[in-house]
C-alpha cells in the first residue's frame, strides 16, 4: 500500500509531464483545432490529481460525454469523434497509435465545440388551388407532397401564352402548362370545346384562361401530345422519343382528337422497325381504338395481312423448296427452322389443324422417283470406280443419293409428328424397283436405302406408327434382308443414327408379327449373326422372348 502511494506521489511530483507516445513532443497546431474556454469559465469543474498533487499547480477540466450519443467499441474513430461533437483532446486525434496513455498538457488549448448545422428552411408550398387533386382520403397525404410541374410551351417571350392547362393524374401528379390557346384549340377539337371564351376568362379575375383535365392515366404522354402541337418538326421529335413513347402519344392524340398528331405518329411508327413488346403494344392499341383507315392502312398492313392465307399451304411450299435444294448446309439450316415452326411446343404455332396430307405425300413421291432415277443411273454405269465422279455435269451420285434419303427421312419425321405416317410404311414396303436395284448397287450407295428402313423399323418398335399386320409382314419380308447386309455400313457411317436404338426397336417391331413369321425371320437372322457377328444386329433379347413364347409356354400348356 505504501509502495503504491509512493509511486503515485512520484508521478504527481514529477518535474515535467510525460511526453507524447511515439516520441511526439507536443501537439502540432492545426487550423481545425480551436481552443476551449479558459478554466475560469463558470460551470466548468477542476480535475484533481488522484494522489492529491497537482500538475504545475493548475487543474484541468474536461467536458463530460454527451448523453445523447452512444459509444460503440467496434465503431471507427471518425464516428466516435463525430459523436463527441468535436470536444476531444486534440492529441488523441493526431496520435498515430494509442499504445500508451497520454497525459494532459496544459500548454495546448482544447478546441471549441463545433456549432450544430442549422436546419434548412421549409420549402414554400404552391398555391392551394394548384395542388388540390381529387383523390381518396387514403392517398391525400401522398398527393399533398406531390410536386407541381409548371412549363411554358412556345416562345417564352411571347405574350400570347394566355391559357393555363392543369393536368391531374390518377397517381396524384399535377402538371401546369402555359400555352397559346389559339394553337391548342386549332389543333384539338377536345380542347376547343373546353376552352373558355374571352368574357368568362375576364370574369374570373387575373388568372386568365384555364382548362383542367382530371383523372389522366399517363400524364407524361398527355403532356408530350400537347407539346407535339407546338413542334415545328414533329417527326424529328418522335424519332428522339422512340417507338414506345410514340405509341403512347398516338393513343392520347386519338383521345383528344388531335388529328395532325395521329397522322404524324402513324407515319413515324410505320417507317421504323418494332420489337415484340412494341408490336404487342400496338396491337392492343388498335384493338381499343379506331383510326381512320386512310391513314392507318400502312400500319395495319404490317400488323395484319389483308388476305389470310393458310399457314399449312405455305409450310408445304417451304418443305418442297427445302427438298429441292442442292446446298447441303442451307438445307439443314432450313430443316431446323421448319422443325421449330412445326413443333407442338413452338410459340409460333397455335391450334395447329394439321398439314395438308396429300401435299406432303406428293413431295414424298417426288423424292422417291428422284431416288429411283439416280440408282438406275448408277447401275447403268459399268465402271464402278467412276460412280463417285461427276456424271453429265451434275453432282456425284453418292451425294445426290444421300440428299434424297435425307429428304425422305425428314419427311417421315414430319409425317410421324402429324400422325399420318402409316401410308409411308406401305409406300416404302412396296418399292419393288428399289429392292431389285439394291441387289446390284454398290454397298457404299445401297446402305442409304437401309437408313430409311431403319427409321421405319424404329418408329414401329416405339409404337409411333400403327399399321396393319400384313403391312408389317410385307415390310419385314422386303427390307429385313437388305438391313442385315448393310448393318456394318450403318455402324461405320451412322450419320446420327442410333445403332443401339435400331437393334432394340428392330427386335420390338419383329415381335409384333405372328409367331410363325417370327420364326422364319429369326432363323435368317441367326444364320447371319453366326457367320458375321458384329456386322449383324444383335437381336438376342428379342430372340429369347420369341423362344419363350413359342416353346416354353407351349410346352407348359400342352398337358
Amino acid at each position: 500500500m505504501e509502495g503504491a502511494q509512493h509511486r503515485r506521489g512520484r508521478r504527481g511530483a514529477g518535474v515535467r509531464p510525460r511526453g507524447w507516445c511515439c516520441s511526439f513532443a507536443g501537439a502540432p497546431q492545426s487550423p481545425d483545432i480551436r481552443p476551449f474556454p479558459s478554466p475560469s469559465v463558470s460551470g466548468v469543474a477542476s480535475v484533481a490529481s488522484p494522489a492529491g498533487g497537482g500538475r504545475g499547480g493548475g487543474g484541468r477540466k474536461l467536458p463530460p460525454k454527451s448523453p445523447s450519443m452512444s459509444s460503440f467499441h467496434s465503431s471507427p474513430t471518425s464516428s466516435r469523434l463525430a459523436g463527441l461533437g468535436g470536444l476531444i483532446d486534440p492529441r488523441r486525434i493526431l496520435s498515430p497509435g494509442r499504445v500508451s496513455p497520454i497525459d494532459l498538457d496544459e500548454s495546448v488549448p482544447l478546441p471549441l465545440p463545433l456549432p450544430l448545422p442549422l436546419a434548412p428552411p421549409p420549402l414554400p408550398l404552391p398555391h392551394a388551388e394548384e395542388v388540390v387533386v381529387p383523390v381518396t382520403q387514403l392517398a391525400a397525404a401522398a398527393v399533398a407532397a406531390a410536386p407541381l410541374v409548371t412549363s411554358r410551351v412556345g416562345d417564352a417571350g411571347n405574350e400570347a401564352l394566355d391559357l393555363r392547362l392543369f393536368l391531374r393524374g390518377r397517381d396524384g401528379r399535377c402538371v401546369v402548362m402555359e400555352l397559346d390557346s389559339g394553337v391548342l384549340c386549332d389543333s384539338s377539337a377536345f380542347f376547343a370545346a373546353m376552352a373558355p371564351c374571352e368574357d368568362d376568362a375576364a370574369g374570373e379575375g387575373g388568372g386568365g384562361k384555364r382548362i383542367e383535365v382530371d383523372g389522366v392515366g399517363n400524364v407524361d404522354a398527355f403532356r408530350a401530345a400537347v407539346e407535339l402541337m407546338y413542334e415545328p418538326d414533329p417527326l424529328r421529335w418522335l424519332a428522339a422519343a422512340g417507338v414506345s413513347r410514340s405509341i403512347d402519344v398516338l393513343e392520347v392524340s386519338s383521345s383528344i382528337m388531335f388529328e395532325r398528331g395521329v397522322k404524324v405518329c402513324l407515319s413515324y411508327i410505320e417507317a421504323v422497325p418494332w420489337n415484340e413488346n412494341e408490336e404487342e403494344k400496338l396491337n392492343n392499341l388498335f384493338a381499343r381504338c379506331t383510326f381512320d383507315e386512310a391513314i392507318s392502312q400502312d400500319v395495319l398492313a404490317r400488323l395484319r395481312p389483308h388476305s389470310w392465307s393458310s399457314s399449312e399451304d405455305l409450310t408445304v411450299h417451304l418443305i418442297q423448296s427445302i427438298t429441292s435444294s442442292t446446298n447441303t448446309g442451307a438445307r439443314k439450316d432450313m430443316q431446323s427452322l421448319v422443325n421449330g415452326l412445326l413443333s407442338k411446343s413452338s410459340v409460333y404455332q397455335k391450334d395447329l389443324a394439321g398439314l395438308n396430307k396429300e401435299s406432303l405425300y406428293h413431295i414424298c413421291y417426288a423424292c422417291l422417283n428422284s431416288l429411283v432415277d439416280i440408282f438406275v443411273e448408277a447401275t447403268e454405269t459399268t465402271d464402278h470406280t467412276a460412280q463417285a465422279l461427276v456424271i453429265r455435269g451434275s453432282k456425284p451420285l453418292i451425294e445426290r443419293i444421300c440428299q434424297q434419303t435425307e429428304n425422305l427421312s425428314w419427311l417421315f419425321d414430319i409425317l410421324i409428328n402429324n400422325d399420318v405416317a402409316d401410308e409411308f410404311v406401305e409406300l416404302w414396303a412396296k418399292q419393288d424397283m428399289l429392292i431389285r436395284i439394291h441387289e446390284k448397287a454398290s454397298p457404299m450407295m445401297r446402305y442409304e436405302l437401309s437408313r430409311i428402313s431403319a427409321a421405319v423399323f424404329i418408329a414401329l418398335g416405339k409404337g409411333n406408327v400403327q399399321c396393319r399386320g400384313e403391312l408389317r409382314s410385307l415390310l419385314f419380308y422386303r427390307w429385313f434382308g437388305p438391313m442385315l447386309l448393310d448393318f456394318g455400313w450403318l455402324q461405320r457411317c451412322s450419320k446420327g443414327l442410333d445403332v443401339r436404338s435400331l437393334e432394340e426397336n428392330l427386335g420390338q417391331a419383329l415381335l409384333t408379327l405372328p409367331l410363325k413369321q417370327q420364326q422364319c425371320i429369326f432363323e435368317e437372322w441367326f444364320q447371319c449373326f453366326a457367320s458375321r457377328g458384329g456386322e449383324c444386329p444383335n437381336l438376342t433379347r428379342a430372340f429369347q422372348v420369341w423362344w419363350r413364347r413359342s416353346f416354353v409356354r407351349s410346352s407348359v400348356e400342352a398337358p
Side-chain angles (χ1 to χ4, degrees):
M1 185 67 179
E2 294 177 358
Q5 293 178 356
H6 178 67
R7 285 191 296 273
R8 287 196 298 268
R10 289 185 59 188
R11 284 197 299 268
V15 177
R16 59 175 182 171
R18 189 163 56 179
W20 283 79
C21 66
C22 301
S23 302
F24 281 98
Q29 298 296 331
S30 173
D32 296 333
I33 300 176
R34 290 174 289 180
F36 277 110
S38 61
S40 60
V41 177
S42 175
V44 179
S46 300
V47 178
S49 173
R55 298 187 181 209
R60 291 282 300 181
K61 299 181 290 296
L62 292 177
K65 281 188 177 182
S66 175
S68 62
M69 294 298 294
S70 300
S71 176
F72 299 94
H73 176 70
S74 60
S75 301
T77 305
S78 59
S79 300
R80 295 198 298 271
L81 295 180
L84 292 176
L87 306 180
I88 194 168
D89 193 338
R91 291 169 298 179
R92 291 188 178 270
I93 300 175
L94 301 176
S95 174
R98 288 157 51 193
V99 297
S100 62
I102 302 175
D103 291 336
L104 298 176
D105 189 358
E106 295 83 353
S107 62
V108 180
L110 295 177
L112 291 172
L114 296 177
L116 296 177
L118 297 177
L123 295 176
L125 293 176
H127 196 272
E129 184 183 3
E130 299 178 359
V131 297
V132 173
V133 181
V135 292
T136 61
Q137 294 181 355
L138 294 177
V143 174
L148 178 67
V149 181
T150 305
S151 62
R152 296 170 61 90
V153 181
D155 188 5
N158 190 358
E159 297 181 356
L161 303 181
D162 55 347
L163 184 141
R164 304 187 76 187
L165 174 63
F166 290 78
L167 305 177
R168 293 187 174 93
R170 298 172 186 172
D171 55 354
R173 295 181 56 195
C174 182
V175 175
V176 180
M177 306 180 69
E178 297 183 1
L179 306 168
D180 182 357
S181 60
V183 177
L184 183 67
C185 296
D186 292 341
S187 302
S188 169
F190 171 79
F191 287 115
M194 293 184 63
C197 61
E198 296 292 340
D199 297 338
D200 296 339
E204 293 179 358
K209 298 179 183 179
R210 58 183 296 162
I211 298 177
E212 297 182 5
V213 182
D214 297 334
V216 178
N218 191 340
V219 176
D220 294 331
F222 206 111
R223 177 181 178 180
V226 175
E227 291 176 351
L228 189 64
M229 301 177 185
Y230 299 86
E231 284 292 331
D233 192 351
L235 283 177
R236 184 185 298 272
W237 187 91
L238 291 174
V243 178
S244 181
R245 191 178 180 187
S246 299
I247 296 174
D248 296 334
V249 174
L250 173 62
E251 182 176 5
V252 176
S253 300
S254 175
S255 64
I256 63 176
M257 292 176 282
F258 177 27
E259 300 296 336
R260 185 169 59 89
V262 171
K263 184 176 180 180
V264 71
C265 287
L266 289 173
S267 177
Y268 166 74
I269 292 172
E270 189 277 331
V272 295
W274 317 323
N275 57 34
E276 292 185 4
N277 294 333
E278 294 165 350
E279 180 182 357
E280 186 68 21
K281 189 175 181 179
L282 201 57
N283 267 318
N284 294 335
L285 176 60
F286 273 85
R288 296 192 310 267
C289 303
T290 302
F291 300 95
D292 187 7
E293 185 179 358
I295 60 176
S296 62
Q297 59 182 356
D298 294 336
V299 177
L300 288 174
R302 290 180 56 181
L303 286 174
R304 307 164 187 170
H306 292 287
S307 58
W308 291 94
S309 60
S310 174
S311 61
E312 288 77 15
D313 295 340
L314 179 60
T315 304
V316 170
H317 179 70
L318 294 176
I319 293 173
Q320 186 174 6
S321 300
I322 292 172
T323 55
S324 61
S325 173
T326 57
N327 189 310
T328 304
R331 187 173 65 252
K332 292 183 179 298
D333 292 340
M334 293 298 102
Q335 286 177 356
S336 300
L337 175 61
V338 173
N339 289 338
L341 296 177
L342 297 180
S343 175
K344 294 181 179 179
S345 61
S346 174
V347 298
Y348 300 101
Q349 277 290 355
K350 303 292 178 61
D351 300 330
L352 182 64
L355 295 174
N356 191 318
K357 179 180 176 180
E358 290 75 13
S359 300
L360 286 177
Y361 275 101
H362 178 74
I363 300 176
C364 291
Y365 279 113
C367 292
L368 281 172
N369 293 333
S370 299
L371 188 60
V372 171
D373 294 341
I374 296 172
F375 268 102
V376 169
E377 182 181 350
T379 54
E380 289 177 354
T381 306
T382 55
D383 187 6
H384 294 285
T385 60
Q387 289 182 8
L389 301 178
V390 177
I391 299 177
R392 298 177 184 175
S394 61
K395 289 188 175 183
L397 291 174
I398 296 178
E399 183 177 350
R400 292 159 58 193
I401 291 174
C402 181
Q403 174 185 344
Q404 295 303 327
T405 54
E406 286 181 355
N407 288 337
L408 287 171
S409 299
W410 179 55
L411 289 171
F412 183 60
D413 291 338
I414 295 177
L415 294 173
I416 290 176
N417 293 334
N418 288 270
D419 300 326
V420 290
D422 50 344
E423 293 185 14
F424 186 90
V425 179
E426 181 178 3
L427 179 64
W428 185 248
K430 295 180 179 180
Q431 290 297 316
D432 298 334
M433 177 66 72
L434 287 177
I435 292 173
R436 290 194 300 267
I437 293 175
H438 183 276
E439 300 173 355
K440 305 176 183 179
S442 170
M444 63 187 307
M445 292 185 179
R446 72 187 186 192
Y447 89 98
E448 293 287 350
L449 298 177
S450 295
R451 186 182 303 281
I452 302 176
S453 301
V456 177
F457 286 134
I458 290 175
L460 290 175
K462 290 183 177 181
N464 295 332
V465 179
Q466 297 82 32
C467 54
R468 304 184 309 275
E470 58 270 16
L471 188 58
R472 296 195 303 272
S473 300
L474 179 62
L475 179 69
F476 272 94
Y477 178 76
R478 294 290 183 87
W479 289 106
F480 185 74
M483 171 67 67
L484 297 180
L485 295 177
D486 299 332
F487 188 79
W489 279 87
L490 291 176
Q491 284 182 308
R492 290 185 292 270
C493 306
S494 60
K495 295 182 180 179
L497 175 65
D498 190 350
V499 180
R500 295 294 172 262
S501 177
L502 172 61
E503 292 177 333
E504 179 181 357
N505 290 286
L506 180 60
Q508 293 293 329
L510 181 55
L511 292 175
T512 61
L513 302 179
L515 292 176
K516 184 75 173 175
Q517 297 179 7
Q518 291 182 35
Q519 180 177 352
C520 298
I521 295 176
F522 274 119
E523 287 178 358
E524 180 183 0
W525 166 79
F526 199 88
Q527 294 176 0
C528 178
F529 190 73
S531 60
R532 301 180 62 183
E535 294 289 316
C536 188
N538 189 350
L539 303 180
T540 53
R541 294 182 59 183
F543 181 81
Q544 293 172 354
V545 173
W546 165 77
W547 185 273
R548 176 178 56 81
R549 292 176 179 175
S550 299
F551 300 105
V552 177
R553 186 173 60 184
S554 298
S555 61
V556 172
E557 294 176 354

